[in-house]
Amino acid sequence: MQLHPYTANSKTLPLAITPRAEDVIGLYQTLDPQQVLMRFAALAKHCLPLAAIRVNDSVQLRWRSGNTERYLTTDCPAVDGVHYSLKGPLSLWQEQLLGHWHDALVPALGNALMHGKALSQARTDQLTGLGNRTAFAEEETRLVARADRHQRPFCLLLLDLDNFKPVNDAYGHQRGDAVLYRVAQLMTSQARIEDLCFRLGGDEFALLLADTDQDGGEKLAQRLLASLKDNEFLASHKIGVSMGLAQWQPGEHPRSLQARADLALYQAKGAGRGCLRKG
Ligand SMILES: Nc1nc2c(ncn2[C@@H]2O[C@H](COP(=O)(O)OP(=O)(O)OP(=O)(O)O)[C@@H](O)[C@H]2O)c(=O)[nH]1
């Protein structure tokens, strides 16, 4: 089966899908992986029962042949092409059909997946793997809309490390990076799965706590504070953490919530650091 090249720039951002893929799925410069998958699944239904499932960076196409379930997996493409594997014996026409799909659609899927990956990288802090400031702003806006609609509480917890600069100065940036990474690890291990953790920049972190009121937020903050204090690596570098907590008020603008949490953080710094203040 011939692999069609896809167009990508030096940063492997997808620029266009191949003309043939365009013919078949009827999408021009498709950039949304979900859209491509939905279109793909819709097309596939005309031929035989099949579902397209996104599994991490792969797309798995599933269908039934008699009583046997078969699948084809496309991996997220390397720069030189798309890898795929076929499971189970196929009839000639199935092979032809898959070949046709493969030729036409896999490059498009590859492009779309790469775009998804690029989008996700643009929202990720490369050092810690947490969401970055862009992701924070998007998620905060989303939470405000959700809380408004469902009348649910949510909290913003801001963290700022104490005495971080001396670590960089005394041991170098690599050690400073290790401190930041450890803080991120402790944040994610203490938070619930639905809490969202971010590094806003430098030694500033944030947590968005969905469906959580001030009391719930305080419990998490105190637990996190204790685990940060107990951490030997951080303690050996005399790293502390100050925190500011604010619960979103109905109708409140995200900027105002941030300002209240920021003020609380400032008060925690003023109160001697290593503690939590509420806004
Ligand atoms: N290692 C490392 N350092 C960084 C990074 N980003 C910012 N910094 C450093 O973080 C430090 C932040 O400075 P401050 O906010 O004054 O740090 P601090 O000593 O914790 O100050 P207080 O909050 O007043 O206790 C600066 O020295 C920055 O150079 C990074 O990605 N890696």
Side-chain angles (χ1 to χ4, degrees), residues 127 160-166 168-169 172-178 180 199 201-203 239 269 273:
L127 172 62
D160 189 287
L161 304 192
D162 305 321
N163 312 314
F164 178 60
K165 192 171 178 304
N168 271 339
D169 294 345
H173 265 244
Q174 243 178 337
R175 186 73 65 86
D177 286 356
L180 296 171
R199 179 176 170 227
D203 61 352
I239 289 287
K269 290 272 182 195
R273 297 158 194 240

Side-chain angles (χ1 to χ4, degrees), residues 48-49 62-71 87-89 94:
L48 73 175
R62 287 184 173 273
W63 73 100
R64 275 199 162 275
S65 168
N67 285 332
T68 320
E69 188 160 287
R70 309 201 189 283
Y71 63 86
K87 191 91 172 170
Q94 281 177 328

Side-chain angles (χ1 to χ4, degrees), residues 33-97:
Q34 290 307 327
Q35 226 184 343
V36 177
L37 287 182
M38 276 161 52
R39 195 60 182 258
F40 189 102
L43 266 175
K45 272 191 197 135
H46 290 303
C47 312
L48 73 175
L50 186 144
I53 306 165
R54 193 168 174 192
V55 188
N56 298 325
D57 283 344
S58 301
V59 176
Q60 207 170 75
L61 312 173
R62 287 184 173 273
W63 73 100
R64 275 199 162 275
S65 168
N67 285 332
T68 320
E69 188 160 287
R70 309 201 189 283
Y71 63 86
L72 171 151
T73 303
T74 68
D75 292 330
C76 194
V79 182
D80 58 345
V82 179
H83 308 290
Y84 69 98
S85 57
L86 282 172
K87 191 91 172 170
L90 302 172
S91 68
L92 185 61
W93 74 272
Q94 281 177 328
E95 243 177 67
Q96 282 169 346
L97 193 58

